[in-house]
Structure formats: C-alpha cells, structure tokens
Amino acid sequence: MRAGKWLPALSLLLCLAAPLSSFGMSAAEGQTQPSMEEMAGEMGIQEEMDQIQEFLDHTSGQDGTVSVWELMKALASGNLKEVFSQAGEGIRRALFSELYTGGSLLIQVAVIGMMGAVFSNVSSILKGGQISDTGFFVAYLLMFTCLAGSFLSSIQIAAGVLEQILDFMKCLMPAYFMAVAFSGGSASAVALYEGMIGGVTAVQWLCGGILLPAVKVYVLLVLGTHVVREPFLTRLTELLEQAIGWSLKTLMGLVMGVQFLQTMILPYADAAGQAGVKRVIEIIPGLGQGAGAVAQMVLGSGVLIKNSLGAAAVVILTLLTLVPVLKLLLLMLLYQSVAAVMQPVCDKRMVSCVAGVSRGHKLLLQVVLYSLLLFIIAIAVTCASTNVNYFAS
C-alpha cells in the first residue's frame, strides 16, 4: 500500500529528473565539469549563441574576431588580461587615425578663422566695409562647409554604433533570457524579455529616429544663426539642447523604472515556487536527496551560463562602443581646443560656430552613452536579481 501511495510521486520525479540527469551525466561518470558549450547545448541555446558569434564575426571585420565562448570562459576564470590586450591594439590604431584626420581638418578650420579675422579687422581701414564683409562671408561659408561635413561624418559614427548596439541586443536576448528561464526564473524571463524588447524599441525610435536628427538640426542652426552680426536663434538652440538632454533622462528613467519594479517581485515569486517543488522532491525516500543534488547542480550550471553570458555581453557592448565613443570624445575636445585658440584673434561668430560643433559632439556622446548604459544596467540588474533562485534552493 505504501508503494502504491508513492508510485505517482516517483513517476513525477522521474519525469522531472530525466533531463536533469542527462545534463549531469558527465559529472556522474567521473568528469569534473561539462564545458560551457555542452551546457549551452543541453539548455537549447546553442543556435542562439552561434548567431551571436556570427554577428561578432561580421562586426569585427579586419580588427579581429571576438569569441563569445572564449570571453565567457575568461570571465568565469577571472582572466581578462588577454581580452583587454586584444582590444588595446585596435583602439590605439583607431584613435591615432582619427587624431590625424581630425587634426588636419581642424588646422584648416583655424586657418579659415584667421582669414575671417583679417577681413573683419580691415573694415576700419576700408571705407564702406563692403570688401571686408564680402571676404568675411566667403570665409564663413568655407568654415560652414568644413564644419558641416565633419559633423555629418560624426553623426554617421554615432548612428553606426547605435545600430551595432541594437543589433547585438537583438541577437543576445533570445539566448540570454532562455538562460534566465533555465536557471529557475521562468516568469522573470518572460517579463524581463518583454521589458528589454520595449527598451530596444524605445532606443531605436527615440535615439535613432528623433534625437540624432535633432542634433543635426541643432548644429545646422548654430552654424546658420551666426552668419549675421547678432545671432537670432540662440534661444531656440538652447531649447533644443535642453530637450535632447531631457528626452534621454526620461528614457533612462522609464525603462529602468519598469525594470526595477519587475525585478523587485518576479524573481522572488519564481524562487518561492522552485524552492517548494525542490523540498517536495527531497522528501521522497531513497531518490529525493540524489534528485535534489542533481537539480542543484543543473541550476548552478544554468546560473553560471547566465551570469557569464551577461558579463560577456557587457564587455562586448563596451568593446563595440569604445572606439566610436573615444573618437567622438576626441573630436569634441579638439573642437573645443580650436575654439579656445581662435577666441583671442578671430571673429566671435566663427568662434561660436566651432564651439557649437563641439557641443553637438557632446550631444552625440550623450545619445550613445545613455543607450549603452541603459542596456548595461538592464543586463546587470537581471543577472543580480535572478540569482535569488539559486540561493533560495
């Protein structure tokens, strides 16, 4: 009679433990620990991981391929020296090339500014001032062309890195949230996946579709309003600059607020349910303790994959954006330096144009960095909050 009472529970246990025992078979046969590739294959995310690797192969190009598996293993072992040594050479080459290209352009801008200063200062000598005004206008048009062309190239850099961030997140999300679900957070995985999709959509719509064109309009207004002696659109440009900053902060607050609200409740609900099921299985005589140990091992392997993949995603996002961000930062500092050099001798309108382009690069930096930090914080919060499932069991 007692065997008949326990038979349904034993059947349920065997159904639940079959995939778990196959996952931990290598360890039971004497191997110390299955590789990350084997664990990912058992979790069913091998195809998604291959898609992430294909994206990295396509993105890296001539700068060298980043292996997501090697990166995850390096992060799991705490060895990042090789990762940063490989990235350092590509960053150095990119920065030196940008310094050479941007420096030659800024020298041309400074020379044009000096020409404009010459025409402005001879107005007191020549009667009527028509020659000096015409000469200054020609010099201003040359500077307008140089600055506008340079800034359009910077916008392409920002748009390219923003597209890379969004494409990488689209490749990452299926594998990452399947790992979250496998590590015991099924409800958390579904809700956080939907929230992450909403964040990607919001960044693509707001940053890519509205804010980058708004930054372009801002710089063109700055360049156009200084063609006359008294600028007449300064309030409009200030309002546009403030609107871009407010939009980025609002986007960050909304997405992170929803993320934090979800992680305050859902992981603990998953942990409570999972801990209850595990306790019920462990009370079964004979097989309970073994099944509980196997389940704990599988859960720990899932948490390791999840956290390693999340940390690797943060590193990859940083590597994808590091060179473009440093380029934009370097250009911003160079334009600001040229404006400081031109101010004592050049016309204030030309100085204001160069300083305005520097502020435009600052806005581009804000758009890229806010988008990057939004996803990095979301990944970090998901990793930290869903670990509660492992500790509760």
Side-chain angles (χ1 to χ4, degrees), residues 86-166:
Q86 292 177 357
E89 182 64 24
I91 293 171
R92 185 183 64 83
R93 290 198 305 267
L95 287 182
F96 274 118
S97 63
E98 191 64 33
L99 182 62
Y100 176 78
T101 305
S104 60
L105 177 63
L106 290 177
I107 290 175
Q108 297 176 9
V109 171
V111 171
I112 294 174
M114 298 297 177
M115 292 172 54
V118 171
F119 286 112
S120 296
N121 292 328
V122 299
S123 60
S124 59
I125 301 175
L126 301 175
K127 294 183 179 180
Q130 296 179 354
I131 297 178
S132 63
D133 291 341
T134 303
F136 175 81
F137 186 72
V138 171
Y140 188 88
L141 288 180
L142 290 174
M143 177 173 285
F144 184 99
T145 303
C146 291
L147 293 177
S150 173
F151 191 74
L152 289 178
S153 300
S154 299
I155 288 182
Q156 292 178 358
I157 293 174
V161 68
L162 194 62
E163 183 179 1
Q164 286 185 351
I165 292 174
L166 296 175

Side-chain angles (χ1 to χ4, degrees), residues 271-317:
Q274 182 180 345
V277 172
K278 187 174 180 237
R279 297 295 184 271
V280 170
I281 293 176
E282 287 179 346
I283 66 176
I284 300 176
L287 295 178
Q289 295 297 326
V294 172
Q296 185 71 9
M297 183 192 68
V298 174
L299 184 60
S301 300
V303 171
L304 177 62
I305 290 289
K306 171 182 68 71
N307 290 348
S308 299
L309 182 57
V314 171
V315 174
I316 291 172
L317 282 173

